[in-house]
Amino acid sequence: MGLQYVVAKRVFGFDKDKNVKYVAKSVGSGELGTDKLCAKVSRILGIHRKTVDLVAAGLVDIMSEEIEDGKTVRLGDFGLFRPSFVGKCADTQEGVTASNIVRKRILFFPGKAFNAMLDKMSVTRMAMPDTDYTDGSQGNEGKPENPDISDGGEEEDPLG
């Protein structure tokens, strides 16, 4: 299926004229949870799902410890996880301290397997359903425009 997008209307703050621009916005096609992911891996490897779950949990625990120590963690073709942060600037060198750090984060750089997949991934525009009533019916399909005028058909007696 690949990656899908819709066209979104945006006004960018750096544009002095505040002109409307149009950009492609990615649309998610769902989410795969840990339980289903572990179940799929267990089917492929032929091992119990709980074993896969334990290995994944152990991997996260060890990665957390190492990243907390400031280390970059490389997982082969999976990719690289590197600790980083966003900080505020200062006018002098002395003004830069740990209190200038606004947000800590982990950067992920995909490995060869993911980069190869991304190169081959298709990108298509998502078809949006037409919700405009351009035929003049304004949502009254199959009903006469004037309720006082009969359409010539017989009506059912609601009581009998």
Side-chain angles (χ1 to χ4, degrees):
M1 183 163 130
L3 195 58
Q4 292 184 322
Y5 72 94
V6 294
V7 178
K9 190 187 309 186
R10 295 279 191 262
V11 176
F12 294 102
F14 59 80
D15 188 359
K16 293 185 189 320
D17 296 333
K18 304 290 184 204
N19 292 329
V20 172
K21 305 286 183 190
Y22 295 90
V23 296
K25 178 181 172 189
S26 67
V27 178
S29 61
E31 184 177 291
L32 177 65
T34 305
D35 288 341
K36 283 190 177 183
L37 179 64
C38 288
K40 285 184 169 201
V41 171
S42 87
R43 280 195 304 270
I44 290 171
L45 298 178
I47 59 177
H48 195 276
R49 190 192 64 76
K50 283 295 183 185
T51 304
V52 175
D53 189 43
L54 285 170
V55 170
L59 184 64
V60 170
D61 289 345
I62 297 300
M63 287 177 64
S64 295
E65 289 176 14
E66 298 300 320
I67 292 171
E68 187 177 16
D69 288 342
K71 293 180 184 170
T72 296
V73 176
R74 183 181 301 275
L75 288 177
D77 285 346
F78 188 83
L80 183 129
F81 296 83
R82 188 181 72 173
S84 184
F85 58 82
V86 176
K88 295 187 286 188
C89 63
D91 293 330
T92 64
Q93 281 186 339
E94 294 77 26
V96 178
T97 64
S99 64
N100 291 62
I101 296 172
V102 179
R103 184 182 63 205
K104 298 172 203 158
R105 59 187 180 173
I106 298 172
L107 301 177
F108 172 68
F109 298 94
K112 291 178 185 177
F114 285 127
N115 281 326
M117 176 267 309
L118 287 171
D119 287 342
K120 296 175 190 172
M121 181 186 283
S122 66
V123 179
T124 57
R125 186 170 177 170
M126 185 176 192
M128 297 298 291
D130 185 15
T131 58
D132 293 336
Y133 295 103
T134 56
D135 62 354
S137 66
Q138 298 176 356
N140 292 328
E141 284 80 21
K143 297 180 185 174
E145 294 212 13
N146 187 343
D148 296 331
I149 301 174
S150 172
D151 62 359
E154 291 186 22
E155 293 183 11
E156 280 187 55
D157 183 8
L159 298 176

